[in-house]
Amino acid sequence: MDRTFLDLLYADAPREAYDDLLAQLGADAADQHALALQVRERLARHRGREAEMSALYDTANDLTAIRDLDTILAAIVRRARQLLHADMTYLSLNDEADGASYMKVTDGALTPEFRRLRLPLGTGLLGLVAQSGEPYFTEDYQADSRFVHRDFIDSAVAGEKIRAILGVPLVVEGRVIGALLAVHRTVRPFPPGEVTLLTSFAAHAAVALENARLFDQAREAVVSADLANELLRARSESVERAAQSHDRLTDVLLDGGGATGIADVLAEVLGGRVSVYDEGLRPLAGAGDQPAGLATAIEQARRTGRSVEVTPGTYVAVAAAGDEPLGTLVVRGAPLEQAERRTLERGAIVTALVLLFARTEAEAEERVRGELLTDLVAARDADLDRLRERARRQGAALDRPSVVAVAHLDGLDLHRAARTAGQLAGERHGLAAVHDGHVVVLAPGEDARELGEVLRARTSDALTTVGVAGPASGPGAVAATYREARRCVDTLRTLGRSGEVSDPAGLGVTRLLLGTSGPDDLADFVDRVLGPLLRWDAERGGSLVATLEAWFAAGGSLRGTGEVLHVHANTVGQRLERVGRLLGEDWRQPNRALDLQMALRVHRMRGQERS
């Protein structure tokens, strides 16, 4: 029985199996092969995300149960190693009296010397993270001169064959108490997603340590006095609320609730109004104007990794992946204790994960949709049924009349404009891509200029020049329509009309004179300018074209036109009224008149050639 790419996906086959099947099926299966690999990659990413979320959920459950501290820390280190596919992970705690950070838990260590290692604060990558409270990573520790190297540290690192290291701080109540690190025994970078994930586990570890400290303190308070009992209950309730809020935030993450779900949970837990903004401070959830001093507060929160109180009762936390800010959370109308501010910060971590996953999915979908549009405008795939099916899977409609807009951007970020165009295309069930240095949008509709005007307004009015064409009927006509729109934008730029939007009719005879048209565009030009008159004459045996030509030749004289045509001047006037109804009342304006005269001459010459 012949195997298909679907069979390979179902069997979770290795990459080589897909290449072998492509070799068997031949080049005609290249698109299926590419799509299958994209689906396989997406499935792999989803499985990885499920594993990450499951580990975070299990860790949150461990924290709510508050079992043995060493057991919880060992589980956190083990899960971090599994999810980051690291060769070793370890957690250190600071000994402030000794000025050093010592190993608390390790997973994957090869030598006893490393498990007993104590690093003076500020030395090595671990000591630097434990001292500064900032995450650091290196692709090759032994060759990295940014860190203070000591012989006994380098010897222990060499004994473990460590090369790449990622370290994030453990922070409790604004104080750095240690660090969580993941290492590889090969040279490699650490992408932002891994930094974010290890930061999440570090937050869990800090919560576990803080819980243990609070419970020890509470037990001592129970023995000492009734007042201490009240403190215990208050702290216990705070920890309970924090654990419950963390569970609920984890549930939002696992259920795909997005920024709105996170804002709802935090608003209920913290008792205030919560707003979530993206990296451009555009609202994602919640309501209300941005508080004064927001930009300064965001910078401080990003630098410290903690929430910042802007004004009494208003707090800001940054959702970040490594050093890259992805969004901002603002809480208004609720004074927050330290435990509640930690809940806000954990909400920021979950928000960063949500936004990071959403960005990854959007980039993957944008890439697939862009490849389809590129195939359409370049006419790379002649199988119309396959193109329609690919479009259907992307939520695009190719069977309806569609218009094309091609934008040239002067001094603007091409990729940012492409994302804007992708949003516009998604709203209209169309496609968008960057092709040949231009942003291209294909969308169902019949008003090409309207699409071009909207695209220009959403990118940057004065710096975007847009050529439009269409409508195109079916996927087979997209390539020709794209070329027409591309010629329009090239003509606008040649004329020095940057920042405008135009279709072929808006350029008239200009593009013929500048030589930016193709060999078939003379007929297209005549049809655009004289088409209504030619069809009227053909259907009714009329003489509107001849009348218009004679009227121009007579310098606009009705009597002179009548003498040439051997008809009364009133008849000429009636015919010209019909011309106005068919072409529009502005046909006598200089620009229209020039196009009409040129079209009449081209029509006459083409008729003579045929004769």
Side-chain angles (χ1 to χ4, degrees):
M1 179 178 179
D2 293 336
R3 302 189 73 186
T4 66
F5 288 111
L6 186 59
D7 295 329
L8 298 181
L9 287 171
Y10 184 77
D12 197 19
R15 166 62 187 265
E16 292 77 9
Y18 292 79
D19 296 338
D20 293 341
L21 183 55
L22 174 63
Q24 296 173 19
L25 297 178
D28 291 341
D31 286 343
Q32 299 177 24
H33 175 261
L35 179 60
L37 290 180
Q38 292 173 4
V39 172
R40 178 176 179 270
E41 180 183 357
R42 180 168 293 186
L43 288 174
R45 287 200 302 269
H46 280 301
R47 284 194 294 270
R49 291 173 189 164
E50 290 174 359
E52 293 173 3
M53 295 305 101
S54 177
L56 289 173
Y57 186 80
D58 291 342
T59 303
N61 284 337
D62 289 345
L63 294 180
T64 58
I66 313 181
R67 296 193 294 268
D68 177 71
L69 175 62
D70 290 340
T71 303
I72 293 176
L73 294 181
I76 290 173
V77 171
R78 183 178 65 256
R79 289 169 187 157
R81 179 188 176 194
Q82 292 170 349
L83 285 181
L84 270 66
H85 304 292
D87 294 322
M88 177 173 62
T89 48
Y90 51 97
L91 184 148
S92 74
L93 295 179
N94 292 354
D95 184 347
E96 295 181 356
D98 192 36
S101 189
Y102 65 95
M103 295 295 175
K104 175 68 175 177
V105 184
T106 64
D107 188 81
L110 301 177
T111 62
E113 291 80 4
F114 192 86
R115 289 191 286 267
R116 295 192 297 267
L117 193 63
R118 295 175 67 92
L119 280 77
L121 295 179
T123 62
L125 188 145
L126 186 155
L128 184 59
V129 172
Q131 181 185 57
S132 68
E134 298 288 340
Y136 284 92
F137 67 87
T138 177
E139 297 182 12
D140 189 355
Y141 174 81
Q142 297 284 27
D144 199 328
S145 60
R146 293 178 301 164
F147 308 106
V148 177
H149 290 264
R150 297 284 181 87
D151 290 341
F152 75 96
I153 299 175
D154 289 351
S155 176
V157 169
E160 290 289 337
K161 300 181 174 59
I162 294 173
R163 303 300 294 274
I165 309 177
L166 165 63
V168 297
L170 301 176
V171 181
V172 172
E173 300 291 344
R175 182 171 59 89
V176 180
I177 63 169
L180 177 62
L181 295 95
V183 306
H184 290 271
R185 294 187 172 97
T186 56
V187 176
R188 54 151 286 178
F190 290 92
E194 293 188 357
V195 178
T196 300
L197 188 58
L198 194 62
T199 301
S200 297
F201 279 104
H204 284 306
V207 169
L209 291 164
E210 175 65 356
N211 286 349
R213 185 187 70 80
L214 291 175
F215 272 84
D216 287 343
Q217 181 179 347
R219 282 191 293 268
E220 294 173 2
V222 167
V223 176
S224 63
D226 291 338
L227 181 60
N229 286 330
E230 290 298 326
L231 176 61
L232 170 63
R233 283 194 292 273
R235 289 299 182 95
S236 297
E237 290 173 0
S238 176
V239 171
E240 181 72 18
R241 287 195 301 272
Q244 291 176 355
S245 65
H246 198 81
D247 281 346
R248 294 183 60 185
L249 289 171
T250 303
D251 289 341
V252 170
L253 186 60
L254 294 175
D255 295 338
T260 300
I262 294 171
D264 291 342
V265 169
L266 290 177
E268 182 178 345
V269 171
L270 302 178
R273 303 187 307 277
V274 179
S275 300
V276 182
Y277 303 92
D278 66 8
E279 74 277 11
L281 292 181
R282 293 177 289 269
L284 296 175
D289 298 333
Q290 298 176 8
L294 180 59
T296 302
I298 290 174
E299 176 59 26
Q300 182 180 352
R302 187 198 63 78
R303 187 175 62 254
T304 62
R306 316 303 306 183
S307 60
V308 174
E309 186 173 14
V310 184
T311 58
T314 300
Y315 303 85
V316 171
V318 173
D323 292 333
E324 180 184 7
L326 301 175
T328 302
L329 281 72
V330 177
V331 180
R332 301 176 178 86
L336 303 182
E337 300 295 336
Q338 286 297 327
E340 293 168 324
R341 293 181 66 170
R342 298 295 85 79
T343 296
L344 172 60
E345 291 160 7
R346 295 183 193 108
I349 293 173
V350 175
T351 302
L353 290 173
V354 167
L355 297 178
L356 193 62
F357 293 161
R359 175 190 289 185
T360 301
E361 284 194 14
E363 289 176 350
E365 291 178 3
E366 179 182 327
R367 187 162 52 251
V368 174
R369 295 168 73 91
E371 290 171 355
L372 172 57
L373 182 55
T374 299
D375 288 346
L376 285 168
V377 301
R380 294 176 181 171
D381 191 343
D383 190 330
L384 300 185
D385 290 335
R386 182 164 57 220
L387 289 171
R388 290 188 180 93
E389 176 59 22
R390 290 172 63 190
R392 185 192 65 77
R393 289 196 296 268
Q394 298 305 319
L398 292 184
D399 289 324
R400 290 151 51 188
S402 301
V403 292
V404 175
V406 179
H408 176 84
L409 295 90
D410 292 319
L412 298 178
D413 186 331
L414 187 61
H415 295 291
R416 184 179 295 275
R419 287 197 296 271
T420 301
Q423 294 172 354
L424 173 61
E427 295 169 5
R428 302 195 176 198
H429 303 288
L431 301 168
V434 175
H435 181 68
D436 196 19
H438 293 70
V439 174
V440 183
V441 177
L442 169 71
E446 299 189 3
D447 191 344
R449 287 188 64 88
E450 185 272 339
L451 176 65
E453 293 288 357
V454 173
L455 177 60
R456 183 184 66 169
R458 291 201 184 182
T459 49
S460 181
D461 284 4
L463 299 178
T464 303
T465 307
V466 186
V468 297
S473 299
V478 171
T481 307
Y482 160 77
R483 290 194 295 271
E484 196 169 27
R486 175 63 186 272
R487 287 195 292 269
C488 285
V489 75
D490 290 344
T491 302
L492 286 173
R493 297 183 63 224
T494 301
L495 293 173
R497 291 168 57 183
S498 297
E500 294 187 20
V501 177
S502 181
D503 57 9
L507 298 176
V509 71
T510 305
R511 60 198 261 264
L512 300 176
L513 297 177
L514 289 176
T516 58
S517 60
D520 297 329
D521 283 345
L522 282 175
D524 177 66
F525 170 68
V526 172
D527 183 69
R528 287 183 180 276
V529 178
L530 294 179
L533 304 186
L534 293 171
R535 286 186 284 276
W536 174 273
D537 287 350
E539 293 170 1
R540 294 170 174 79
S543 303
L544 296 184
V545 173
T547 301
L548 186 61
E549 187 173 18
W551 183 80
F552 278 121
S557 169
L558 296 181
R559 177 173 296 182
T561 303
E563 291 174 356
V564 172
L565 298 177
H566 305 292
V567 296
H568 195 275
N570 290 339
T571 302
V572 175
Q574 293 171 359
R575 292 180 182 177
L576 293 179
E577 289 179 2
R578 173 67 63 182
V579 169
R581 287 195 293 272
L582 293 174
L583 298 182
E585 295 302 327
D586 64 340
W587 68 271
R588 289 183 175 88
Q589 295 298 320
N591 288 340
R592 291 289 306 277
L594 176 61
D595 288 349
L596 285 168
Q597 292 179 75
M598 179 62 74
L600 287 167
R601 293 187 179 230
V602 172
H603 177 62
R604 175 177 290 277
M605 287 188 293
R606 288 172 64 85
Q608 291 172 352
E609 290 176 359
R610 286 193 294 270
S611 299

